[in-house]
Amino acid sequence: MQTLPRLVRAKRADRVSDAFAEKIMLAVTAVNECQYCTRYHTDLAQETGVDRETITTILENDVESAVDDDELPALQFAQRYAETNEDPGREAVAALRRTYGDAMAADVQAFVRAIYFGNLLGNTYDGVRFAAARRVEAARTATQQLASRISYRLGRLRERCPI
């Protein structure tokens, strides 16, 4: 809940272009492998003018080849944030601030935190959906086995007690 107001402030401040923000979000999503965020932010990145090759390169976790030197520190921070489960370390945060200044670094962090949370939601949804599908399949298999046993027993009963 703390991230939403920060994200709104970052969007309003307009220190981070929409294309740059999408690259940041794709860098986090590439680490977390959220299929929903990947699809959504790929489309948004294209709408903001990011070319397909850059998107693909970021999604392959190769940010060094994907962006210019001015965007690279933010994308590396984004990856580190995701790789360390929200704990990039004080030095990484300090380096981000030295590179971009306090205000823009806070904006970058807001985008990173927002997409990280989105990735968690998407991946959790997939986990729950997968677990539910496994349970449904297990119940279906058990029901089929039970029906087969009942059918077998009824057949044996008919053989023994013809009426």
Side-chain angles (χ1 to χ4, degrees):
M1 295 311 289
Q2 297 173 9
T3 300
L4 188 58
R6 291 177 184 166
L7 184 63
V8 170
R9 282 194 301 270
K11 291 291 283 177
R12 285 186 182 155
D14 205 27
R15 288 179 286 260
V16 176
S17 72
D18 290 341
F20 187 19
E22 290 306 323
K23 290 175 191 176
I24 292 167
M25 292 192 192
L26 286 171
V28 174
T29 298
V31 173
N32 290 328
E33 299 178 352
C34 175
Q35 66 172 327
Y36 309 104
C37 295
T38 298
R39 232 177 288 134
Y40 182 70
H41 287 283
T42 293
D43 290 346
L44 286 179
Q46 287 178 318
E47 287 176 18
T48 63
V50 180
D51 62 84
R52 186 72 185 145
E53 183 180 340
T54 300
I55 293 168
T56 301
T57 305
I58 293 170
L59 290 174
E60 291 172 348
N61 285 309
D62 185 11
V63 296
E64 289 81 9
S65 301
V67 298
D68 297 329
D69 289 343
D70 58 325
E71 293 179 336
L72 184 58
L75 272 65
Q76 288 173 325
F77 175 83
Q79 285 180 318
R80 180 158 176 76
Y81 186 91
E83 290 167 349
T84 60
N85 294 317
E86 302 180 279
D87 189 18
R90 290 181 181 170
E91 181 51 40
V93 174
L96 189 69
R97 288 184 178 145
R98 281 192 304 273
T99 302
Y100 296 108
D102 289 340
M104 188 165 168
D107 294 348
V108 168
Q109 288 177 290
F111 288 111
V112 168
R113 287 182 182 122
I115 191 62
Y116 188 86
F117 181 71
N119 291 168
L120 288 177
L121 288 177
N123 290 337
T124 300
Y125 171 75
D126 270 354
V128 169
R129 196 180 80 193
F130 177 73
R134 281 188 30 211
R135 285 187 175 182
V136 166
E137 185 57 35
R140 184 177 307 146
T141 300
T143 301
Q144 289 171 344
Q145 290 173 347
L146 179 62
S148 177
R149 287 185 197 140
I150 290 171
S151 177
Y152 173 77
R153 297 282 184 219
L154 285 175
R156 297 283 291 158
L157 185 59
R158 285 188 191 120
E159 290 173 5
R160 292 183 182 163
C161 303
I163 297 182

